[in-house]
């Protein structure tokens, strides 16, 4: 195993708690079954990923309203109330990021599937996003994980050699895509597990 000199972080689910349930559980009066059906059938993760890849939020909303007019109120809530889906930072992972930065041993960048229209909200809210050398935002690049183009954009922009890089993401699909490009990877489950897995790559932090 070659030594790691660059660490690439995913954001949502790793450093930032983002969840549509924070909006829709209340919208459906606490009925988790109805909420789950809506998010699996109407405002799906596949639909949201189109916007992560650069599709305009307003157009996406209008498209879906035309398709499901009886759910217009809830569809408009998805991006209308989007800031409420940000539940806060995942503190223990932010602590790990801070410790890595303090070592001054690693190039730290982020690679995130995120709409370019909503990312500025997160940028204002989370100071630690300024700790990265740079952030590749899928909505700005008009492509997203797990497509290889966005990994290549990240590697080339920050002059990262894949075999010396470590990618951290909470989505197995994205991990497998990185590994196909010879990027070392950790599937994030929780901060304690991340800290333990970092040690397997000889990355030791206090």
């Amino acid at each position: 195993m070659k030594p790691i000199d660059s660490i690439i972080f995913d954001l949502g689910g790793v450093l930032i708690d983002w969840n549509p349930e924070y909006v829709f559980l209340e919208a459906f009066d606490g009925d988790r079954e109805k909420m789950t059906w809506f998010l699996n059938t109407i405002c799906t993760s596949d639909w949201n990923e189109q916007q992560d890849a650069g599709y305009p939020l307003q157009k996406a909303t209008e498209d879906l309203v035309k398709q499901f007019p009886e759910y217009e109120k809830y569809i408009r809530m998805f991006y209308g109330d989007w800031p409420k889906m940000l539940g806060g930072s995942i503190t223990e992972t932010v602590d790990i990021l801070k410790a890595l930065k303090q070592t001054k041993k690693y190039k730290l960048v982020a690679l995130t599937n995120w709409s370019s229209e909503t990312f500025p909200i997160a940028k204002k809210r989370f100071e630690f996003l300024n700790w990265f050398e740079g952030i590749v935002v899928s909505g700005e690049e008009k492509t997203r994980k797990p497509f290889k183009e966005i990994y290549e954009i990240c590697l080339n922009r920050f002059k990262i050699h894949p075999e010396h890089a470590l990618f951290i993401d909470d989505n197995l699909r994205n991990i497998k895509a990185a590994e196909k490009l010879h990027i070392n990877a950790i599937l994030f489950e929780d901060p304690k597990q991340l800290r333990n897995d970092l040690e397997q790559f000889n990355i030791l932090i206090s």
Side-chain angles (χ1 to χ4, degrees):
M1 184 171 60
K2 295 185 178 180
I4 300 298
D5 61 22
S6 302
I7 303 176
I8 307 167
F9 276 85
D10 176 35
L11 296 180
V14 175
L15 285 157
I16 297 172
D17 176 20
W18 177 86
N19 197 328
E21 289 191 12
Y22 296 143
V23 168
F24 288 103
L25 191 58
E26 181 181 349
F28 287 101
D29 300 317
D31 190 326
R32 184 167 293 276
E33 186 175 343
K34 284 184 179 179
M35 177 200 70
T36 301
W37 179 89
F38 177 79
L39 293 174
N40 287 340
T41 309
I42 310 295
C43 289
T44 66
S45 57
D46 287 346
W47 172 75
N48 183 53
E49 281 194 331
Q50 294 178 41
Q51 288 66 266
D52 285 348
Y55 197 73
L57 302 190
Q58 184 174 351
K59 192 168 191 324
T61 299
E62 299 306 328
D63 290 348
L64 210 57
V65 167
K66 287 180 182 177
Q67 191 175 353
F68 302 102
E70 66 273 30
Y71 292 99
E72 178 175 2
K73 169 188 171 183
Y74 299 106
I75 292 168
R76 294 194 184 282
M77 289 176 71
F78 195 94
Y79 294 117
D81 288 346
W82 187 91
K84 296 179 183 178
M85 297 181 190
L86 288 175
S89 63
I90 300 174
T91 307
E92 295 89 345
T93 316
V94 175
D95 290 343
I96 292 171
L97 174 64
K98 184 176 182 180
L100 289 169
K101 187 170 180 63
Q102 289 174 339
T103 69
K104 299 182 180 179
K105 292 180 180 179
Y106 307 101
K107 182 179 294 185
L108 300 173
V109 302
L111 173 58
T112 184
N113 280 359
W114 208 305
S115 165
S116 61
E117 295 178 65
T118 57
F119 189 68
I121 298 170
K123 198 78 189 298
K124 285 183 180 179
R125 189 175 297 187
F126 301 107
E127 172 62 25
F128 65 82
L129 293 179
N130 296 305
W131 300 352
F132 292 107
E133 181 169 322
I135 301 174
V136 176
V137 179
S138 62
E140 296 173 359
E141 308 301 334
K142 302 296 189 289
T143 184
R144 61 170 176 80
K145 298 175 286 186
F147 301 119
K148 70 175 184 177
E149 289 81 6
I150 199 162
Y151 297 91
E152 291 171 344
I153 287 169
C154 185
L155 295 173
N156 293 333
R157 182 169 298 167
F158 301 111
K159 298 179 174 57
I160 295 171
H161 191 286
E163 292 180 355
H164 291 280
L166 177 60
F167 174 59
I168 302 164
D169 197 292
D170 65 327
N171 189 313
L172 181 59
R173 175 195 67 178
N174 298 339
I175 291 292
K176 289 181 176 179
E179 289 175 337
K180 284 182 180 179
L181 296 172
H182 307 291
I183 303 170
N184 302 286
I186 292 174
L187 177 64
F188 178 86
E189 296 174 11
D190 60 64
K192 182 179 179 181
Q193 163 261 331
L194 174 59
R195 192 178 287 269
N196 291 337
D197 284 357
L198 286 171
E199 292 182 2
Q200 303 305 310
F201 287 92
N202 297 315
I203 298 172
L204 306 176
I205 53 177
S206 58

